[in-house]
Amino acid sequence: MGMCLPCLGGAADDVVVTPDPDTRRRQLAEAAEKRQKETTYRGVKNPEAVERKRKKQEEIEKQAMTTSVSGGGGLKWQVG
């Protein structure tokens, strides 16, 4: 039994200090964002080009929605 006590004496030096909850929360949020980016662009050689194409497509869709609503260029019903 006396053999175990010297081993436990050095355990106080090996204790890892945990950061405060705010720091820990921030670190976890940063890690989650990094993982999300990695999974989003997995297998994509040029993620910036993909992002530009996506934004351009959104602009085109937005423009199409505004012109169809204001211009009345949609389908027209004919009766008779």
Side-chain angles (χ1 to χ4, degrees):
M1 188 127 161
M3 299 292 283
C4 291
L5 292 178
C7 295
L8 297 176
D13 298 334
D14 296 336
V15 174
V16 177
V17 178
T18 57
D20 61 301
D22 292 332
T23 305
R24 181 79 175 140
R25 193 174 300 117
R26 182 178 45 80
Q27 289 173 342
L28 289 173
E30 289 172 357
E33 288 175 11
K34 183 180 176 184
R35 280 192 310 272
Q36 188 175 17
K37 278 187 176 181
E38 288 175 355
T39 58
T40 300
Y41 296 118
R42 179 183 296 162
V44 178
K45 291 183 181 179
N46 191 354
E48 291 84 17
V50 173
E51 193 67 27
R52 283 193 305 268
K53 283 183 181 180
R54 187 184 61 78
K55 285 183 181 181
K56 185 176 180 182
Q57 185 66 28
E58 286 177 358
E59 281 293 320
I60 291 170
E61 289 175 1
K62 190 176 185 182
Q63 207 171 33
M65 291 297 288
T66 57
T67 56
S68 66
V69 171
S70 63
L75 297 174
K76 294 183 180 180
W77 291 87
Q78 293 182 349
V79 179

